[in-house]
Amino acid sequence: MKEERYQMAYYPELLLNELGTNEEMDNSRNPLPVSLQRKTLKLPTLPESEIVRHYTHLSQMNYGIDTGIYPLGSCTMKYNPKISEEIANWDVVTQVHPYQDDTTIQGSLQIMFELEKLLCVITGMDAFTLQPAAGAHGELLGMLIAQAYHKENGERRDEVIISDSAHGTNPASAKMAGYTVIEIPSHEGVVDLDALRSVLSSKTAAFMLTNPNTLGIFEKDILEISSEVKKAGALLYYDGANMNAIMGKARPGDMGFDIVHLNLHKTFAAPHGGGGPGAGPVGVRKDFKKFLPIPRIRRDKKYFFSYAHPKSLGKISQFYGNFPVLLKAYIYIIMNGGDGLTKITERAVHNANYMLDRLKNSSYLIPFGKKRMHEFVASAINLKREKGIRALDIAKRLMDYGFHAPTIYFPLIVNEALMIEPTETETKKSLDDYIDALIKISKEEPSIVKTAPHHTSFQRIDEVEATKNAIHNWKEIARLSVSK
Ligand SMILES: *Cc1c(COP(=O)(O)O)cnc(C)c1O
């Protein structure tokens, strides 16, 4: 089995600063005025071959979506087509400046204009802004739009309702916008309508929901939820980070949602992780369009930026959004087309349910035994009780088999949760291998599982220490190695 074959590389790799010689800056061709030049910026100087080896070594000590399956629940870590990278590196993309005149960037404007329209079609909303740089950023904008809307109606509503299965960014964004967060318990893995009714009031600004929720369960009462929320005069906010659960099958606009955000760096195949740039466009119904950030992109024979929107909230980020990310999403949508996007959803859902089915008769517990959409949550509670093996141990041990761990301990409503989202880009073999490993681990000696990983470049790390005393840059590492 894979474990015996798998061995992650290890190199005693030095930092670039330690590898290269630090040469003084050569200012002979520096176009800056002398007063702005510095002589002491120490940048390591290395031959190209050494740099390539350095980064290749690091990549071999790491794990990414190009290494293997990465079923991190709620993160949609799918394979990202390389053609998008190639196009995003064309000069027409990389050599434009945000202060350039509209007339010189017609192509870029057209792409953004059309992307907004495509996202409207996919979600059933009336207008989109592409500015927010992440899902959480979109949520914050959504909450600010809700605020502007109620204020315009002369209402003071300072509560936002969130389900206990919500992604952690939801309450954080609502709070950041100044709202009091009211959490409601779910029932059998879905929104408890009675609990929702009991907290809805004239103080409710919005109810934030994702459908399917983070357990991968579709909220079948969504139309009733929607009408209850509307009756209370509140707005319904849709967290659409993982749209590959319903794309081409159902639309938040048709379910009654007023404001939605999407994660282009999940559903629409722009790479993410490691803090790289993302995009969290926000879509709204007609009534809220006027609040969207400026500039808006318009067309009147030519495309242009339009700033004359007095009710606009202004800017939510510098300039117009993360253009390369927007471009990659646009390419992905165009390449797949409507039918392609629908197939993506079907495959994502099919893959998740295939894995869930294979896990059903194992030591893992599948709470709320219904069908799932794009992801599912398993529990290691039986293994913990019987053998003392926790979800964390299983996540570590999976690495010995050459797999990335699922999301663990989330959502909080499931004990010893393993949240698995295979995405549509995995083959049946890779799904089978993953499940085989999970089942094998459940039968292994606890002493092996609890001390894993054994075949990775680094073994078990002290996560509490790492969190409390995070080392953020090489200067701190250098200081530590001096003090040793
Ligand atoms: C990833 C995710 C978010 C947050 O998106 P970021 O881009 O990481 O800020 C919000 N909600 C759900 C359901 C998510 O999966």
Side-chain angles (χ1 to χ4, degrees), residues 241-287:
N242 318 118
M243 259 308 269
N244 53 342
I246 59 165
M247 212 165 36
K249 297 284 179 184
R251 308 192 305 172
D254 301 333
M255 297 178 210
F257 285 91
D258 299 295
I259 310 174
V260 317
H261 87 259
L262 300 173
N263 277 31
L264 300 189
H265 52 286
K266 285 184 184 169
T267 307
F268 297 96
H272 70 297
V282 167
V284 293
R285 272 185 203 293
K286 262 197 224 71
D287 303 347

mmCIF file of all heavy atoms in Angstrom, residues 241-287:
data_model
loop_
_atom_site.group_PDB
_atom_site.id
_atom_site.type_symbol
_atom_site.label_atom_id
_atom_site.label_comp_id
_atom_site.label_asym_id
_atom_site.label_seq_id
_atom_site.Cartn_x
_atom_site.Cartn_y
_atom_site.Cartn_z
ATOM 1 N N ALA A 241 -19.273 30.620 -1.097
ATOM 2 C CA ALA A 241 -17.861 30.255 -1.304
ATOM 3 C C ALA A 241 -17.737 28.963 -2.101
ATOM 4 O O ALA A 241 -16.879 28.837 -2.966
ATOM 5 C CB ALA A 241 -17.155 30.133 0.043
ATOM 6 N N ASN A 242 -18.591 28.004 -1.780
ATOM 7 C CA ASN A 242 -18.479 26.685 -2.409
ATOM 8 C C ASN A 242 -19.620 26.464 -3.403
ATOM 9 O O ASN A 242 -20.401 25.524 -3.283
ATOM 10 C CB ASN A 242 -18.472 25.577 -1.342
ATOM 11 C CG ASN A 242 -17.613 25.924 -0.126
ATOM 12 O OD1 ASN A 242 -18.107 26.022 0.991
ATOM 13 N ND2 ASN A 242 -16.324 26.114 -0.341
ATOM 14 N N MET A 243 -19.685 27.321 -4.410
ATOM 15 C CA MET A 243 -20.789 27.267 -5.380
ATOM 16 C C MET A 243 -20.779 25.991 -6.223
ATOM 17 O O MET A 243 -21.774 25.685 -6.885
ATOM 18 C CB MET A 243 -20.717 28.471 -6.329
ATOM 19 C CG MET A 243 -21.655 29.630 -6.063
ATOM 20 S SD MET A 243 -23.394 29.293 -5.873
ATOM 21 C CE MET A 243 -24.005 29.450 -7.552
ATOM 22 N N ASN A 244 -19.661 25.272 -6.222
ATOM 23 C CA ASN A 244 -19.647 24.042 -7.034
ATOM 24 C C ASN A 244 -20.558 22.971 -6.444
ATOM 25 O O ASN A 244 -20.650 21.873 -6.966
ATOM 26 C CB ASN A 244 -18.230 23.503 -7.258
ATOM 27 C CG ASN A 244 -17.462 23.328 -5.968
ATOM 28 O OD1 ASN A 244 -17.829 23.887 -4.944
ATOM 29 N ND2 ASN A 244 -16.395 22.545 -6.009
ATOM 30 N N ALA A 245 -21.243 23.308 -5.360
ATOM 31 C CA ALA A 245 -22.248 22.402 -4.813
ATOM 32 C C ALA A 245 -23.564 22.500 -5.588
ATOM 33 O O ALA A 245 -24.333 21.541 -5.640
ATOM 34 C CB ALA A 245 -22.488 22.723 -3.347
ATOM 35 N N ILE A 246 -23.843 23.668 -6.181
ATOM 36 C CA ILE A 246 -25.169 23.858 -6.799
ATOM 37 C C ILE A 246 -25.146 24.553 -8.168
ATOM 38 O O ILE A 246 -26.180 24.680 -8.812
ATOM 39 C CB ILE A 246 -26.117 24.668 -5.880
ATOM 40 C CG1 ILE A 246 -25.539 26.046 -5.549
ATOM 41 C CG2 ILE A 246 -26.441 23.892 -4.620
ATOM 42 C CD1 ILE A 246 -26.573 26.992 -4.968
ATOM 43 N N MET A 247 -23.949 24.963 -8.602
ATOM 44 C CA MET A 247 -23.820 25.696 -9.857
ATOM 45 C C MET A 247 -24.544 24.983 -11.007
ATOM 46 O O MET A 247 -24.330 23.798 -11.236
ATOM 47 C CB MET A 247 -22.333 25.752 -10.179
ATOM 48 C CG MET A 247 -21.876 26.962 -10.900
ATOM 49 S SD MET A 247 -20.079 27.116 -10.819
ATOM 50 C CE MET A 247 -19.436 25.446 -10.890
ATOM 51 N N GLY A 248 -25.380 25.714 -11.709
ATOM 52 C CA GLY A 248 -26.091 25.107 -12.840
ATOM 53 C C GLY A 248 -27.324 24.326 -12.423
ATOM 54 O O GLY A 248 -28.080 23.842 -13.261
ATOM 55 N N LYS A 249 -27.516 24.168 -11.103
ATOM 56 C CA LYS A 249 -28.652 23.371 -10.604
ATOM 57 C C LYS A 249 -29.645 24.240 -9.846
ATOM 58 O O LYS A 249 -30.845 24.022 -9.922
ATOM 59 C CB LYS A 249 -28.139 22.285 -9.646
ATOM 60 C CG LYS A 249 -27.229 21.273 -10.299
ATOM 61 C CD LYS A 249 -28.050 20.294 -11.129
ATOM 62 C CE LYS A 249 -27.138 19.297 -11.812
ATOM 63 N NZ LYS A 249 -27.890 18.395 -12.683
ATOM 64 N N ALA A 250 -29.119 25.163 -9.064
ATOM 65 C CA ALA A 250 -29.988 26.034 -8.260
ATOM 66 C C ALA A 250 -29.264 27.361 -8.080
ATOM 67 O O ALA A 250 -28.042 27.420 -8.169
ATOM 68 C CB ALA A 250 -30.254 25.395 -6.899
ATOM 69 N N ARG A 251 -30.046 28.421 -7.855
ATOM 70 C CA ARG A 251 -29.424 29.747 -7.748
ATOM 71 C C ARG A 251 -29.902 30.459 -6.483
ATOM 72 O O ARG A 251 -31.108 30.484 -6.185
ATOM 73 C CB ARG A 251 -29.791 30.605 -8.961
ATOM 74 C CG ARG A 251 -29.496 29.907 -10.293
ATOM 75 C CD ARG A 251 -29.590 30.852 -11.462
ATOM 76 N NE ARG A 251 -30.875 31.549 -11.546
ATOM 77 C CZ ARG A 251 -31.111 32.531 -12.402
ATOM 78 N NH1 ARG A 251 -30.165 32.934 -13.227
ATOM 79 N NH2 ARG A 251 -32.290 33.121 -12.436
ATOM 80 N N PRO A 252 -28.951 31.063 -5.762
ATOM 81 C CA PRO A 252 -29.346 31.777 -4.546
ATOM 82 C C PRO A 252 -30.408 32.837 -4.812
ATOM 83 O O PRO A 252 -31.306 33.036 -3.990
ATOM 84 C CB PRO A 252 -28.039 32.416 -4.046
ATOM 85 C CG PRO A 252 -26.971 32.042 -5.009
ATOM 86 C CD PRO A 252 -27.506 31.036 -5.962
ATOM 87 N N GLY A 253 -30.334 33.493 -5.981
ATOM 88 C CA GLY A 253 -31.338 34.511 -6.312
ATOM 89 C C GLY A 253 -32.737 33.915 -6.322
ATOM 90 O O GLY A 253 -33.690 34.521 -5.833
ATOM 91 N N ASP A 254 -32.860 32.698 -6.854
ATOM 92 C CA ASP A 254 -34.178 32.040 -6.921
ATOM 93 C C ASP A 254 -34.633 31.545 -5.552
ATOM 94 O O ASP A 254 -35.807 31.262 -5.346
ATOM 95 C CB ASP A 254 -34.136 30.856 -7.900
ATOM 96 C CG ASP A 254 -33.734 31.304 -9.296
ATOM 97 O OD1 ASP A 254 -33.987 32.476 -9.628
ATOM 98 O OD2 ASP A 254 -33.155 30.476 -10.041
ATOM 99 N N MET A 255 -33.684 31.393 -4.627
ATOM 100 C CA MET A 255 -34.053 30.932 -3.273
ATOM 101 C C MET A 255 -34.472 32.101 -2.396
ATOM 102 O O MET A 255 -34.839 31.919 -1.251
ATOM 103 C CB MET A 255 -32.866 30.234 -2.605
ATOM 104 C CG MET A 255 -32.382 28.985 -3.292
ATOM 105 S SD MET A 255 -30.946 28.345 -2.372
ATOM 106 C CE MET A 255 -30.025 27.544 -3.663
ATOM 107 N N GLY A 256 -34.326 33.322 -2.913
ATOM 108 C CA GLY A 256 -34.756 34.486 -2.145
ATOM 109 C C GLY A 256 -33.621 35.251 -1.474
ATOM 110 O O GLY A 256 -33.867 36.161 -0.682
ATOM 111 N N PHE A 257 -32.390 34.896 -1.789
ATOM 112 C CA PHE A 257 -31.275 35.624 -1.169
ATOM 113 C C PHE A 257 -31.145 37.021 -1.777
ATOM 114 O O PHE A 257 -31.352 37.206 -2.972
ATOM 115 C CB PHE A 257 -29.960 34.852 -1.336
ATOM 116 C CG PHE A 257 -29.863 33.664 -0.422
ATOM 117 C CD1 PHE A 257 -30.304 32.413 -0.825
ATOM 118 C CD2 PHE A 257 -29.334 33.811 0.857
ATOM 119 C CE1 PHE A 257 -30.229 31.313 0.022
ATOM 120 C CE2 PHE A 257 -29.260 32.726 1.714
ATOM 121 C CZ PHE A 257 -29.704 31.471 1.297
ATOM 122 N N ASP A 258 -30.783 37.985 -0.923
ATOM 123 C CA ASP A 258 -30.667 39.378 -1.354
ATOM 124 C C ASP A 258 -29.240 39.748 -1.724
ATOM 125 O O ASP A 258 -29.007 40.565 -2.610
ATOM 126 C CB ASP A 258 -31.115 40.315 -0.218
ATOM 127 C CG ASP A 258 -32.563 40.076 0.160
ATOM 128 O OD1 ASP A 258 -33.426 40.327 -0.684
ATOM 129 O OD2 ASP A 258 -32.819 39.622 1.296
ATOM 130 N N ILE A 259 -28.289 39.193 -0.973
ATOM 131 C CA ILE A 259 -26.869 39.528 -1.176
ATOM 132 C C ILE A 259 -26.091 38.215 -1.141
ATOM 133 O O ILE A 259 -26.361 37.364 -0.288
ATOM 134 C CB ILE A 259 -26.351 40.454 -0.044
ATOM 135 C CG1 ILE A 259 -27.288 41.648 0.159
ATOM 136 C CG2 ILE A 259 -24.927 40.925 -0.333
ATOM 137 C CD1 ILE A 259 -26.928 42.528 1.352
ATOM 138 N N VAL A 260 -25.147 38.051 -2.052
ATOM 139 C CA VAL A 260 -24.325 36.838 -2.039
ATOM 140 C C VAL A 260 -22.864 37.206 -2.246
ATOM 141 O O VAL A 260 -22.558 38.238 -2.827
ATOM 142 C CB VAL A 260 -24.717 35.825 -3.145
ATOM 143 C CG1 VAL A 260 -26.211 35.679 -3.282
ATOM 144 C CG2 VAL A 260 -24.119 36.201 -4.493
ATOM 145 N N HIS A 261 -21.983 36.357 -1.739
ATOM 146 C CA HIS A 261 -20.588 36.473 -2.179
ATOM 147 C C HIS A 261 -20.143 35.129 -2.730
ATOM 148 O O HIS A 261 -20.672 34.081 -2.343
ATOM 149 C CB HIS A 261 -19.661 36.935 -1.035
ATOM 150 C CG HIS A 261 -19.135 35.824 -0.186
ATOM 151 N ND1 HIS A 261 -19.652 35.498 1.046
ATOM 152 C CD2 HIS A 261 -18.121 34.949 -0.390
ATOM 153 C CE1 HIS A 261 -18.995 34.481 1.547
ATOM 154 N NE2 HIS A 261 -18.056 34.110 0.701
ATOM 155 N N LEU A 262 -19.209 35.183 -3.648
ATOM 156 C CA LEU A 262 -18.623 33.970 -4.222
ATOM 157 C C LEU A 262 -17.123 33.989 -3.931
ATOM 158 O O LEU A 262 -16.552 35.050 -3.738
ATOM 159 C CB LEU A 262 -18.817 33.946 -5.741
ATOM 160 C CG LEU A 262 -20.249 33.974 -6.273
ATOM 161 C CD1 LEU A 262 -20.235 34.120 -7.787
ATOM 162 C CD2 LEU A 262 -21.000 32.718 -5.862
ATOM 163 N N ASN A 263 -16.518 32.826 -3.899
ATOM 164 C CA ASN A 263 -15.058 32.764 -3.817
ATOM 165 C C ASN A 263 -14.527 32.302 -5.169
ATOM 166 O O ASN A 263 -14.617 31.122 -5.495
ATOM 167 C CB ASN A 263 -14.615 31.775 -2.731
ATOM 168 C CG ASN A 263 -14.622 32.376 -1.348
ATOM 169 O OD1 ASN A 263 -15.433 33.255 -1.066
ATOM 170 N ND2 ASN A 263 -13.721 31.919 -0.499
ATOM 171 N N LEU A 264 -13.998 33.238 -5.946
ATOM 172 C CA LEU A 264 -13.450 32.832 -7.250
ATOM 173 C C LEU A 264 -12.261 31.915 -7.035
ATOM 174 O O LEU A 264 -11.971 31.056 -7.851
ATOM 175 C CB LEU A 264 -13.045 34.067 -8.061
ATOM 176 C CG LEU A 264 -14.178 35.058 -8.366
ATOM 177 C CD1 LEU A 264 -13.714 36.121 -9.355
ATOM 178 C CD2 LEU A 264 -15.416 34.353 -8.892
ATOM 179 N N HIS A 265 -11.555 32.106 -5.909
ATOM 180 C CA HIS A 265 -10.404 31.262 -5.576
ATOM 181 C C HIS A 265 -10.862 29.975 -4.890
ATOM 182 O O HIS A 265 -10.180 29.427 -4.069
ATOM 183 C CB HIS A 265 -9.427 32.016 -4.686
ATOM 184 C CG HIS A 265 -10.072 32.639 -3.477
ATOM 185 N ND1 HIS A 265 -10.857 33.745 -3.562
ATOM 186 C CD2 HIS A 265 -10.049 32.304 -2.174
ATOM 187 C CE1 HIS A 265 -11.299 34.060 -2.354
ATOM 188 N NE2 HIS A 265 -10.828 33.199 -1.486
ATOM 189 N N LYS A 266 -12.041 29.520 -5.174
ATOM 190 C CA LYS A 266 -12.462 28.179 -4.770
ATOM 191 C C LYS A 266 -13.205 27.626 -5.979
ATOM 192 O O LYS A 266 -12.605 26.991 -6.820
ATOM 193 C CB LYS A 266 -13.369 28.218 -3.541
ATOM 194 C CG LYS A 266 -12.614 28.486 -2.250
ATOM 195 C CD LYS A 266 -13.508 28.435 -1.023
ATOM 196 C CE LYS A 266 -12.717 28.805 0.222
ATOM 197 N NZ LYS A 266 -13.582 29.015 1.390
ATOM 198 N N THR A 267 -14.482 27.967 -6.051
ATOM 199 C CA THR A 267 -15.328 27.427 -7.110
ATOM 200 C C THR A 267 -14.766 27.653 -8.517
ATOM 201 O O THR A 267 -14.851 26.795 -9.372
ATOM 202 C CB THR A 267 -16.717 28.084 -7.027
ATOM 203 O OG1 THR A 267 -17.208 27.918 -5.698
ATOM 204 C CG2 THR A 267 -17.678 27.464 -8.005
ATOM 205 N N PHE A 268 -14.194 28.839 -8.757
ATOM 206 C CA PHE A 268 -13.843 29.200 -10.128
ATOM 207 C C PHE A 268 -12.356 29.058 -10.431
ATOM 208 O O PHE A 268 -11.798 29.767 -11.268
ATOM 209 C CB PHE A 268 -14.399 30.582 -10.467
ATOM 210 C CG PHE A 268 -15.900 30.592 -10.407
ATOM 211 C CD1 PHE A 268 -16.572 31.025 -9.256
ATOM 212 C CD2 PHE A 268 -16.659 30.101 -11.456
ATOM 213 C CE1 PHE A 268 -17.958 30.988 -9.181
ATOM 214 C CE2 PHE A 268 -18.045 30.058 -11.389
ATOM 215 C CZ PHE A 268 -18.697 30.504 -10.249
ATOM 216 N N ALA A 269 -11.735 28.132 -9.696
ATOM 217 C CA ALA A 269 -10.424 27.603 -10.073
ATOM 218 C C ALA A 269 -9.277 28.612 -10.125
ATOM 219 O O ALA A 269 -8.344 28.431 -10.886
ATOM 220 C CB ALA A 269 -10.521 26.834 -11.393
ATOM 221 N N ALA A 270 -9.353 29.680 -9.342
ATOM 222 C CA ALA A 270 -8.149 30.493 -9.166
ATOM 223 C C ALA A 270 -7.418 29.883 -7.965
ATOM 224 O O ALA A 270 -8.046 29.563 -6.967
ATOM 225 C CB ALA A 270 -8.506 31.942 -8.905
ATOM 226 N N PRO A 271 -6.106 29.671 -8.069
ATOM 227 C CA PRO A 271 -5.395 29.017 -6.973
ATOM 228 C C PRO A 271 -5.538 29.809 -5.681
ATOM 229 O O PRO A 271 -5.656 31.030 -5.713
ATOM 230 C CB PRO A 271 -3.934 29.052 -7.431
ATOM 231 C CG PRO A 271 -3.964 29.365 -8.870
ATOM 232 C CD PRO A 271 -5.227 30.091 -9.147
ATOM 233 N N HIS A 272 -5.552 29.100 -4.568
ATOM 234 C CA HIS A 272 -5.535 29.806 -3.289
ATOM 235 C C HIS A 272 -4.797 29.001 -2.245
ATOM 236 O O HIS A 272 -4.396 27.878 -2.463
ATOM 237 C CB HIS A 272 -6.929 30.184 -2.827
ATOM 238 C CG HIS A 272 -7.780 29.022 -2.397
ATOM 239 N ND1 HIS A 272 -8.159 28.017 -3.252
ATOM 240 C CD2 HIS A 272 -8.344 28.718 -1.214
ATOM 241 C CE1 HIS A 272 -8.933 27.157 -2.608
ATOM 242 N NE2 HIS A 272 -9.055 27.551 -1.355
ATOM 243 N N GLY A 273 -4.634 29.616 -1.113
ATOM 244 C CA GLY A 273 -3.857 28.999 -0.052
ATOM 245 C C GLY A 273 -2.579 29.780 0.126
ATOM 246 O O GLY A 273 -2.145 30.520 -0.756
ATOM 247 N N GLY A 274 -2.005 29.650 1.309
ATOM 248 C CA GLY A 274 -0.759 30.362 1.569
ATOM 249 C C GLY A 274 -0.922 31.865 1.558
ATOM 250 O O GLY A 274 0.032 32.602 1.389
ATOM 251 N N GLY A 275 -2.149 32.338 1.714
ATOM 252 C CA GLY A 275 -2.360 33.785 1.799
ATOM 253 C C GLY A 275 -2.272 34.495 0.465
ATOM 254 O O GLY A 275 -2.190 35.709 0.408
ATOM 255 N N GLY A 276 -2.302 33.724 -0.616
ATOM 256 C CA GLY A 276 -2.224 34.349 -1.939
ATOM 257 C C GLY A 276 -3.455 35.178 -2.231
ATOM 258 O O GLY A 276 -4.414 35.141 -1.464
ATOM 259 N N PRO A 277 -3.442 35.919 -3.339
ATOM 260 C CA PRO A 277 -4.576 36.795 -3.627
ATOM 261 C C PRO A 277 -5.817 35.989 -3.982
ATOM 262 O O PRO A 277 -5.721 34.902 -4.534
ATOM 263 C CB PRO A 277 -4.098 37.604 -4.835
ATOM 264 C CG PRO A 277 -3.069 36.749 -5.480
ATOM 265 C CD PRO A 277 -2.415 35.961 -4.386
ATOM 266 N N GLY A 278 -6.953 36.517 -3.632
ATOM 267 C CA GLY A 278 -8.214 35.875 -3.952
ATOM 268 C C GLY A 278 -9.168 36.898 -4.521
ATOM 269 O O GLY A 278 -8.779 38.020 -4.853
ATOM 270 N N ALA A 279 -10.429 36.502 -4.647
ATOM 271 C CA ALA A 279 -11.470 37.432 -5.066
ATOM 272 C C ALA A 279 -12.807 36.943 -4.530
ATOM 273 O O ALA A 279 -13.158 35.784 -4.707
ATOM 274 C CB ALA A 279 -11.526 37.558 -6.586
ATOM 275 N N GLY A 280 -13.503 37.836 -3.848
ATOM 276 C CA GLY A 280 -14.801 37.491 -3.257
ATOM 277 C C GLY A 280 -15.896 38.410 -3.748
ATOM 278 O O GLY A 280 -16.466 39.177 -2.969
ATOM 279 N N PRO A 281 -16.215 38.353 -5.066
ATOM 280 C CA PRO A 281 -17.245 39.238 -5.625
ATOM 281 C C PRO A 281 -18.566 39.151 -4.858
ATOM 282 O O PRO A 281 -18.898 38.085 -4.339
ATOM 283 C CB PRO A 281 -17.438 38.712 -7.046
ATOM 284 C CG PRO A 281 -16.250 37.906 -7.357
ATOM 285 C CD PRO A 281 -15.739 37.379 -6.058
ATOM 286 N N VAL A 282 -19.266 40.275 -4.846
ATOM 287 C CA VAL A 282 -20.553 40.329 -4.145
ATOM 288 C C VAL A 282 -21.658 40.655 -5.142
ATOM 289 O O VAL A 282 -21.541 41.608 -5.920
ATOM 290 C CB VAL A 282 -20.505 41.390 -3.020
ATOM 291 C CG1 VAL A 282 -21.901 41.690 -2.486
ATOM 292 C CG2 VAL A 282 -19.609 40.904 -1.889
ATOM 293 N N GLY A 283 -22.702 39.842 -5.108
ATOM 294 C CA GLY A 283 -23.854 40.065 -5.975
ATOM 295 C C GLY A 283 -25.058 40.495 -5.159
ATOM 296 O O GLY A 283 -25.215 40.082 -4.007
ATOM 297 N N VAL A 284 -25.896 41.326 -5.773
ATOM 298 C CA VAL A 284 -27.070 41.842 -5.044
ATOM 299 C C VAL A 284 -28.305 41.873 -5.933
ATOM 300 O O VAL A 284 -28.204 41.853 -7.160
ATOM 301 C CB VAL A 284 -26.819 43.286 -4.533
ATOM 302 C CG1 VAL A 284 -25.752 43.322 -3.468
ATOM 303 C CG2 VAL A 284 -26.469 44.228 -5.687
ATOM 304 N N ARG A 285 -29.452 41.958 -5.292
ATOM 305 C CA ARG A 285 -30.697 42.255 -6.004
ATOM 306 C C ARG A 285 -30.728 43.725 -6.384
ATOM 307 O O ARG A 285 -30.058 44.537 -5.756
ATOM 308 C CB ARG A 285 -31.867 42.060 -5.042
ATOM 309 C CG ARG A 285 -32.374 40.708 -5.005
ATOM 310 C CD ARG A 285 -33.618 40.656 -4.120
ATOM 311 N NE ARG A 285 -33.746 39.301 -3.680
ATOM 312 C CZ ARG A 285 -34.036 38.309 -4.528
ATOM 313 N NH1 ARG A 285 -34.263 38.548 -5.802
ATOM 314 N NH2 ARG A 285 -34.101 37.084 -4.081
ATOM 315 N N LYS A 286 -31.584 44.034 -7.347
ATOM 316 C CA LYS A 286 -31.713 45.411 -7.866
ATOM 317 C C LYS A 286 -31.695 46.495 -6.796
ATOM 318 O O LYS A 286 -30.973 47.477 -6.896
ATOM 319 C CB LYS A 286 -33.040 45.536 -8.618
ATOM 320 C CG LYS A 286 -32.939 45.404 -10.113
ATOM 321 C CD LYS A 286 -34.218 45.972 -10.732
ATOM 322 C CE LYS A 286 -34.776 45.084 -11.831
ATOM 323 N NZ LYS A 286 -35.366 43.809 -11.400
ATOM 324 N N ASP A 287 -32.506 46.287 -5.745
ATOM 325 C CA ASP A 287 -32.669 47.314 -4.701
ATOM 326 C C ASP A 287 -31.360 47.727 -4.053
ATOM 327 O O ASP A 287 -31.273 48.791 -3.436
ATOM 328 C CB ASP A 287 -33.569 46.790 -3.568
ATOM 329 C CG ASP A 287 -34.910 46.345 -4.073
ATOM 330 O OD1 ASP A 287 -35.224 46.663 -5.235
ATOM 331 O OD2 ASP A 287 -35.648 45.697 -3.306
#
